[in-house]
Amino acid sequence: AQQHSVTVNGKTYETDSWFNTPSKILESTSRRLHLQKDHPVYITRQIIESKFTQPTFKSYNDFDPVVSTAENFDSLGFPADHPGRSKSDTYYINSTTLLRTHTSAHEAQLFRASSSPGYLISGDVYRRDEIDRSHYPIFHQLEGARVWDRTKVPNGDIVKAIYDDLAKLPTHNVQVEDPNPPHHVERNPLQAEHHSAAEAEAVSAHLKRSLELMVVEIFSRAKQAAARQDPNYVDEPLKVRWVEAYFPFTSPSWELEVYYQGDWLEVLGSGVSKQEILINAGVPDQIGWAFGIGLDRIAMLLFQIPDIRLFWSTDERFLGQFRGVSDDLDRLKRFLPFSKYPACPKDVSFWLRPTSAAGGDDRRGNVHDFHENDLMEIVREVAGDCVEDVKLVDEFVHPKTGRKSLCYRVNYRSLERTLTNEQAVTMHEGVRRMLVERLGVELR
Ligand code: PHE
């Protein structure tokens, strides 16, 4: 029977042909790991919040993840054909309602209503994605913003007001690379109708110092934990660099990368907020900056957690390791893995269905409607957290028929128990069956 309505966190929504959210995902909306005391995601949020304090910044942590397409995309200036809007990337409830893909969905509302010049918002966000140890369809973001009001600063001198506030921030001694010019004419223009170059530069300078201080706090804590626990730990000085980026709702925009344990890691996105958002939010006299950071990847680094699925574990061997840390962040410890259970890899090969709708068969056009995320979704639906990763291991086009065949390796492994071969076989049969039923592929 067709489902016509669905209840998420106690609210009921009509569904339509856009509905593509599995029940496991809908049920997980109640987990809210960022609000679960002593959970690594919660602790990571706390560390970040400690750098943006009241009364300048107000925190909002319990906004509903079900939002409108207007909030998630339109209000932020996403073009109509942006790939993020597609059903293969996003979980829809109906054509105008979805599970937020980022906490930026709340920008307009908060710019309008927050009673403080800065705000932080954390929450669970949802994206259809690949399966491996650092991707999960639900993760957590923390977003922050800071604005100044032209009509409220002394003498109307907003540039001076921003630099005065910057001067009140602490300094740090971490090396910063920032090779970009302040704007890029096409990719990251100055919003010249709304901001003078001096204003945009003041906002950028305040943004950069604020976010550098946040990142220094996070990574200093990671290093302290490592040094406390590992007698052979060798300290390497932290380095950060600003890299030009692009977001529909900021200009200019940057990502901040951190050099940690031999790699440059991308840790956040940020920029000078597009003035249209503030104008549409009813606060045209304000200008400011915004950033967004993913909490789960940061928590994995802080606690040296090897697999993102562990966050969803209710096993005491996992949760017990962090008890008491929320009340005393100096007790932060690295995670000690419990024994790794054996892996059970299984392959599945299939021919893709040629798409007649696109007007061609394989022989001529090689047109398919196969999207890898649909396969990932099936695997998650059947095997849940018993899959470690899914990889494309072979791709092949038949020389005579032109038909395309793919082979994926599904690596079954539980974090909490030994899977028998029989259990893996049963799950794999379920995956094979659903691939045929839902995607119309032909198994080989
Ligand atoms: N929402 C962006 C993302 O999910 C991050 C971001 C937030 C960028 C705010 C700029 C300003 O990638």
Side-chain angles (χ1 to χ4, degrees):
Q2 180 82 49
Q3 204 174 0
H4 292 298
S5 73
V6 69
T7 302
V8 193
N9 283 334
K11 276 177 79 182
T12 302
Y13 304 85
E14 297 294 306
T15 56
D16 60 20
S17 63
W18 281 75
F19 179 64
N20 66 347
T21 313
S23 51
K24 275 186 189 152
I25 297 284
L26 292 173
E27 285 155 20
S28 302
T29 56
S30 65
R31 293 286 302 275
R32 298 156 33 114
L33 303 182
H34 61 295
L35 301 180
Q36 184 180 324
K37 195 162 183 254
D38 288 332
H39 192 284
V41 171
Y42 177 107
I43 296 164
T44 305
R45 170 173 71 80
Q46 266 187 304
I47 292 173
I48 296 172
E49 284 179 351
S50 75
K51 301 308 286 178
F52 297 99
T53 47
Q54 306 237 29
T56 308
F57 286 88
K58 229 178 126 165
S59 291
Y60 301 83
N61 297 316
D62 59 358
F63 283 12
D64 198 320
V66 179
V67 301
S68 64
T69 46
E71 291 169 295
N72 199 81
F73 297 122
D74 306 330
S75 73
L76 295 163
F78 276 75
D81 61 353
H82 193 280
R85 292 183 186 253
S86 79
K87 269 172 145 181
S88 55
D89 283 25
T90 296
Y91 292 111
Y92 281 87
I93 303 293
N94 58 45
S95 63
T96 56
T97 314
L98 47 76
L99 293 177
R100 67 182 163 216
T101 65
H102 56 176
T103 41
S104 304
H106 303 289
E107 275 197 8
Q109 177 187 355
L110 285 169
F111 280 136
R112 179 180 306 119
S114 185
S115 50
S116 53
Y119 65 77
L120 297 180
I121 158 114
S122 70
D124 37 342
V125 301
Y126 297 77
R127 293 186 197 173
R128 297 180 97 219
D129 216 331
E130 59 198 276
I131 301 182
D132 65 32
R133 267 169 291 190
S134 64
H135 286 86
Y136 200 81
I138 315 176
F139 58 103
H140 303 80
Q141 282 186 332
L142 186 149
E143 174 141 346
R146 173 77 161 95
V147 292
W148 290 264
D149 191 316
R150 293 174 198 285
T151 63
K152 297 205 178 121
V153 293
N155 309 316
D157 190 346
I158 199 162
V159 172
K160 177 169 188 309
I162 297 171
Y163 282 115
D164 284 349
D165 282 331
L166 175 57
K168 287 180 221 147
L169 293 177
T171 52
H172 62 74
N173 51 16
V174 166
Q175 186 192 320
V176 180
E177 289 172 33
D178 189 2
N180 313 290
H183 318 103
H184 184 284
V185 189
E186 291 123 46
R187 292 193 302 263
N188 266 309
L190 170 71
Q191 301 176 53
E193 303 129 78
H194 305 294
H195 306 158
S196 71
E199 286 171 345
E201 270 168 57
V203 171
S204 308
H206 192 278
L207 171 159
K208 286 177 178 170
R209 175 84 67 76
S210 304
L211 301 182
E212 286 161 12
L213 287 166
M214 170 180 84
V215 158
V216 167
E217 174 75 16
I218 296 170
F219 286 85
S220 309
R221 289 198 176 272
K223 286 172 160 223
Q224 283 159 16
R228 270 200 303 272
Q229 277 170 285
D230 178 357
N232 301 318
Y233 176 76
V234 188
D235 191 33
E236 255 191 288
L238 211 57
K239 280 187 284 187
V240 301
R241 71 179 178 206
W242 291 98
V243 177
E244 197 192 345
Y246 175 79
F247 302 101
F249 38 95
T250 49
S251 188
S253 312
W254 304 273
E255 275 161 4
L256 182 53
E257 296 187 344
V258 178
Y259 190 77
Y260 184 65
Q261 295 181 342
D263 282 313
W264 282 102
L265 312 168
E266 179 195 308
V267 300
L268 61 83
S270 65
V272 178
S273 290
K274 286 267 180 85
Q275 204 58 31
E276 286 77 14
I277 303 171
L278 295 146
I279 294 169
N280 294 335
V283 289
D285 296 321
Q286 301 185 2
I287 70 173
W289 54 255
F291 79 97
I293 185 168
L295 295 176
D296 306 62
R297 299 262 179 95
I298 298 287
M300 288 176 82
L301 287 170
L302 267 171
F303 296 91
Q304 296 286 298
I305 292 170
D307 189 314
I308 196 165
R309 287 175 297 160
L310 279 161
F311 290 143
W312 299 87
S313 171
T314 53
D315 194 315
E316 189 53 26
R317 287 172 298 177
F318 179 71
L319 293 175
Q321 296 197 27
F322 314 105
R323 205 140 289 141
V325 178
S326 291
D327 290 326
D328 180 3
L329 293 176
D330 291 331
R331 279 165 61 189
L332 195 149
K333 282 201 308 273
R334 296 174 134 196
F335 171 67
L336 292 179
F338 31 93
S339 61
K340 210 165 177 184
Y341 298 91
C344 212
K346 305 268 172 226
D347 290 357
V348 55
S349 307
F350 48 85
W351 296 108
L352 293 185
R353 170 181 67 181
T355 312
S356 47
D361 67 17
D362 254 9
R363 233 161 299 191
R364 285 173 296 156
N366 270 319
V367 186
H368 309 284
D369 56 5
F370 176 79
H371 196 298
E372 193 173 85
N373 281 351
D374 294 331
L375 172 138
M376 301 293 174
E377 203 59 47
I378 287 172
V379 175
R380 288 197 195 277
E381 225 174 305
V382 173
D385 289 354
C386 289
V387 200
E388 181 166 288
D389 54 33
V390 178
K391 282 194 203 101
L392 181 65
V393 288
D394 193 32
E395 210 170 335
F396 165 80
V397 177
H398 192 283
K400 291 216 179 89
T401 63
R403 285 180 89 193
K404 188 168 186 179
S405 161
L406 301 176
C407 177
Y408 281 91
R409 181 158 301 155
V410 183
N411 198 17
Y412 297 93
R413 190 205 303 263
S414 164
L415 293 165
E416 292 164 357
R417 63 198 159 89
T418 298
L419 287 184
T420 62
N421 186 54
E422 217 180 334
Q423 289 166 323
V425 166
T426 306
M427 289 189 277
H428 201 58
E429 274 165 7
V431 168
R432 290 167 57 90
R433 205 174 326 117
M434 271 171 84
L435 284 172
V436 175
E437 282 166 16
R438 295 237 189 122
L439 307 186
V441 304
E442 188 189 324
L443 297 175
R444 298 185 56 183

